[in-house]
């Protein structure tokens, strides 16, 4: 193994799990065994919750202006160790170095936003009657948990960590067992930044720890990012135990391409959106609806996609199971009559034959009822459906059960507004292939892409990670009493 076995991080210390069961951590780049991750038991989670509960009293009573000083230092450390963190992301996830660097840069932006929270949670105060004041304050929830996926080993944890702890909570994070190394390194940087022991804890494991988090009476809130199937289970299980829960699921994002779209810009955006991070992101373009005659744009998309080379500017998919599943979708679509314009099946990279790569794939003449058109593929594959009108295209987009993102490519402002108003998705792009909002705007979809109310990032996250305390105060008895006081 290249790295030492992964350990849990509890009360400021790396500790062994209580079980001997482990899983290998394998790099999708070349099949190298990087480490081994423990399959923790519920009593390991109990230890983390106890540590977080003890830390909560002091941390929650630390003024927020002081709490975010830790995050200022943490942000500096992310910047200082950017290349090291990016290399680790690339190794365990399979991203290209450029994509991994961009991921850490996004972590820096997320942390910058968290440092601004003192200016956003000042509360309100009003004299509601003579001598009587009403006031609201944001109070932390207590011990909270974050369950994160494999596709962004550093960014998704940083969707939750800075905001939750800046607002006074203590956190337990459960990394994906496929990519546990980054979260352990983040724990070290938070400690170096001065975060008190117990405020941030890491418990590794598989679905049994996810279940234990949902069930644990000492955990007040749970955030989850992953597939829709699991998001539903987590949301139902956590709320069954009266926890606050926000579970983000999968996506099938539709790009509507109109004949008046700028061909070069559209092709570049579509190709980058479908292949970035090897298509392993919930904001990837996986379905394109060609409205009218856009053959010239489709040709350019294929030309752009051919410039995307596995092992160079296209990373690996997470493991062999994913590679096999993605290639099955392509083969099934072909058997059903779709036309493969660019085929990424059976891809190998010289010198990295044990890596798990799928080349960029463009599939045309896909029917809306095909699996490749309806289901989340999570690979560098785009399925092209054809319609005569925008309304027909919108009907296809609206019929899909997900609602993360949709984009329209056009030079007609009125038509862009028409699509924005009618697309059933929480994040909309105009001439943008990956319409991810920048901070302070929140990330979050609709329909079966999100379960729960609010968001876990941006300004909206304040409502998720805190509860309101309302106080009414009167000091002057001489003011008399009326119905308002």
């Amino acid at each position: 193994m290249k790295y030492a076995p992964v350990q849990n991080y509890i009360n400021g210390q790396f500790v062994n799990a209580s079980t001997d069961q482990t899983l290998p951590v394998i790099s999708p780049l070349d099949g190298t065994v990087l480490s081994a991750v423990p399959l923790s038991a519920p009593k390991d989670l109990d230890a983390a919750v106890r540590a977080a509960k003890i830390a909560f009293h002091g941390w929650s009573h630390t003024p927020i202006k002081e709490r975010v000083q830790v995050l200022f230092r943490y942000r500096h450390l992310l910047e200082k160790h950017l290349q090291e963190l990016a290399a680790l992301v690339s190794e365990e996830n399979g991203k290209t170095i450029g994509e991994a660097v961009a991921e850490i840069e996004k972590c820096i932006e997320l942390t910058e936003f968290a440092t601004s929270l003192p200016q956003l949670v000042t509360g309100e105060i009003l004299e509601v009657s003579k001598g009587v004041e009403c006031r609201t304050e944001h109070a932390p929830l207590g011990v909270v948990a974050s369950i994160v996926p494999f596709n962004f080993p550093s960014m998704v944890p940083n969707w939750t960590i800075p905001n939750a702890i800046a607002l006074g909570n203590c956190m337990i994070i459960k990394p994906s067992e496929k990519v546990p190394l980054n979260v352990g390194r983040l724990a070290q940087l938070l400690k170096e930044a001065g975060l008190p022991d117990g405020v941030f804890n890491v418990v590794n494991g598989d679905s049994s720890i996810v279940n234990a988090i949902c069930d644990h009476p000492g955990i007040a809130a749970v955030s989850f990012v992953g597939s829709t199937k699991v998001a539903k289970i987590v949301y139902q299980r956590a709320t069954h135990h009266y926890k606050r829960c926000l579970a983000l699921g999968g996506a099938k994002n539709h790009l509507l391409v109109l004949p008046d779209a700028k061909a070069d810009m559209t092709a570049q955006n579509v190709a980058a959106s479908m292949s970035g991070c090897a298509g392993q992101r919930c904001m990837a373009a996986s379905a394109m609806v060609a409205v009218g005659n856009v053959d010239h744009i489709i040709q350019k998309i294929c030309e752009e996609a051919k410039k995307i080379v596995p092992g160079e500017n296209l990373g690996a998919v997470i493991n062999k199971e994913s590679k096999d599943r993605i290639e099955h979708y392509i083969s099934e679509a072909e058997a059903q009559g779709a036309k493969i314009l660019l085929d990424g099946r059976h891809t190998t990279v010289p010198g990295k034959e044990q890596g798990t790569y799928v080349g960029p794939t463009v599939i045309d003449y896909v029917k809306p009822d095909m699996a490749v058109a309806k289901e989340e593929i999570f690979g560098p594959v785009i399925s092209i459906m054809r319609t005569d009108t925008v309304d027909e295209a919108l009907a296809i987009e609206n019929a899909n059960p997900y609602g993360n993102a949709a984009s329209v490519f056009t030079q007609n402002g009125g038509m862009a507004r028409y699509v924005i108003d009618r697309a059933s998705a929480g994040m909309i792009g105009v001439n943008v292939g990956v319409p991810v909002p920048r901070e302070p705007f929140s990330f979050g979809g609709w329909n079966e892409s999100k379960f729960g109310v609010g968001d876990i990032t941006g300004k909206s996250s304040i409502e998720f990670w805190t509860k309101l305390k309302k106080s009414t105060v009167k000091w002057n008895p001489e003011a008399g009493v009326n119905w308002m006081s």
Side-chain angles (χ1 to χ4, degrees):
M1 293 190 298
K2 182 174 180 179
Y3 299 101
V6 173
Q7 295 177 294
N8 293 334
Y9 182 78
I10 298 174
N11 201 28
Q13 302 294 326
F14 285 99
V15 296
N16 291 326
S18 62
T19 73
D20 294 329
Q21 293 179 287
T22 63
L23 292 174
V25 180
I26 299 172
S27 174
L29 293 175
D30 57 10
T32 300
V33 178
L34 299 175
S35 184
V37 61
L39 300 182
S40 301
K43 65 180 180 180
D44 298 308
L45 178 64
D46 291 340
V49 172
R50 283 195 300 272
K53 278 189 170 182
I54 292 169
F56 177 68
H57 178 78
W59 183 244
S60 63
H61 285 84
T62 301
I64 189 170
K65 294 280 283 186
E66 294 182 29
R67 292 197 297 257
V68 299
Q69 298 309 307
V70 172
L71 295 175
F72 278 110
R73 295 189 290 270
Y74 175 62
R75 182 219 175 275
H76 168 72
L77 291 170
L78 288 174
E79 193 170 54
K80 178 181 177 182
H81 296 282
L82 189 151
Q83 293 299 329
E84 172 207 339
L85 292 167
L88 198 55
V89 166
S90 179
E91 273 190 306
E92 66 175 347
N93 170 268
K95 282 183 171 69
T96 67
I97 285 293
E99 291 168 340
V101 166
E103 178 169 344
I104 305 305
E105 289 174 338
K106 181 63 178 179
C107 296
I108 293 169
E109 182 191 36
L110 292 160
T111 305
E112 286 174 352
F113 172 75
T115 63
S116 74
L117 285 171
Q119 284 68 53
L120 299 176
V121 293
T122 52
E124 297 176 308
I125 188 167
L126 179 68
E127 187 180 41
V128 295
S129 183
K130 186 65 177 177
V132 178
E133 290 180 344
C134 283
R135 178 178 180 176
T136 61
E137 301 169 83
H138 291 275
L141 301 176
V143 179
V144 300
S146 179
I147 302 165
V148 296
F150 74 83
N151 59 329
F152 286 92
S154 194
M155 186 195 75
V156 174
N158 278 286
W159 273 359
T160 60
I161 296 167
N163 289 358
I165 65 175
L167 292 166
N169 300 289
C170 292
M171 173 167 277
I172 296 164
I173 196 163
K174 190 271 175 195
S176 165
E177 59 272 29
K178 298 181 180 73
V179 292
L181 299 172
N182 264 270
V183 170
R185 187 70 180 105
L186 297 179
Q188 292 175 323
L189 296 183
L190 285 164
K191 179 154 186 166
E192 186 178 344
L195 189 69
D197 293 346
V199 175
F200 179 72
N201 305 273
V202 182
V203 179
N204 292 281
D206 57 12
S207 59
S208 64
I209 289 299
V210 174
N211 292 334
I213 287 171
C214 294
D215 297 346
H216 203 291
I219 295 174
V222 177
S223 72
F224 171 87
V225 180
S227 70
T228 288
K229 178 183 177 181
V230 181
K232 286 180 177 180
I233 295 169
V234 168
Y235 182 76
Q236 290 172 340
R237 189 158 184 159
T239 55
H240 176 75
H241 290 284
Y242 310 109
K243 300 183 194 305
R244 187 176 294 192
C245 183
L246 188 51
L248 305 189
K252 193 69 179 177
N253 304 320
H254 289 67
L255 308 185
L256 279 60
V257 177
L258 278 57
D260 70 333
K262 292 286 187 182
D264 289 340
M265 180 179 70
T266 300
Q268 290 166 5
N269 269 268
V270 172
S273 181
M274 56 88 79
S275 65
C277 302
Q280 297 178 128
R281 53 185 178 184
C282 62
M283 292 297 283
S286 57
M288 173 180 149
V289 188
V291 181
N293 184 7
V294 296
D295 285 356
H296 62 297
I297 298 177
I298 293 173
Q299 181 181 346
K300 284 187 176 289
I301 290 170
C302 291
E303 291 170 3
E304 289 295 324
K306 287 176 183 176
K307 300 174 185 177
I308 300 165
V309 180
E312 295 181 14
N313 56 351
L314 177 66
V317 298
I318 190 65
N319 55 28
K320 187 178 185 302
E321 291 76 15
S322 289
K323 176 181 169 69
D324 292 344
R325 180 179 51 80
I326 294 163
E327 292 185 350
H328 173 75
Y329 274 112
I330 300 167
S331 298
E332 183 181 58
E334 184 178 37
Q336 293 171 340
K339 184 178 181 180
I340 311 298
L341 302 183
L342 188 64
D343 193 346
R345 288 172 291 182
H346 313 303
T347 295
T348 56
V349 174
K352 297 180 178 179
E353 285 78 11
Q354 298 306 308
T356 47
Y357 294 87
V358 177
T361 301
V362 181
I363 311 175
D364 201 359
Y365 297 102
V366 171
K367 301 299 182 185
D369 60 349
M370 293 181 182
V372 76
K374 297 189 298 182
E375 298 173 14
E376 186 173 39
I377 299 173
F378 233 51
V381 179
I382 190 160
S383 304
I384 301 175
M385 293 165 278
R386 292 176 177 259
T387 66
D388 294 326
T389 68
V390 169
D391 285 332
E392 290 172 346
L394 283 166
I396 292 172
E397 190 280 332
N398 286 183
N400 104 91
Y402 301 105
N404 228 31
S407 289
V408 58
F409 289 85
T410 180
Q411 292 302 297
N412 185 319
M415 188 57 70
R417 186 71 246 178
Y418 187 86
V419 172
I420 290 171
D421 290 343
R422 289 162 177 79
S424 183
M427 294 171 281
I428 309 293
V430 176
N431 300 319
V432 176
V434 185
V436 175
R438 300 287 299 273
E439 304 304 309
F441 298 99
S442 302
F443 182 98
W446 287 2
N447 309 330
E448 293 202 356
S449 290
K450 185 174 79 171
F451 303 92
V453 177
D455 293 304
I456 55 176
T457 68
K459 281 184 176 181
S460 299
S461 71
I462 296 168
E463 300 304 319
F464 182 73
W465 296 118
T466 65
K467 53 192 175 185
L468 276 182
K469 178 176 285 188
K470 286 78 69 175
S471 56
T472 303
V473 178
K474 178 177 179 179
W475 291 112
N476 53 339
E478 69 278 2
V481 176
N482 61 25
W483 71 272
M484 290 186 289
S485 58

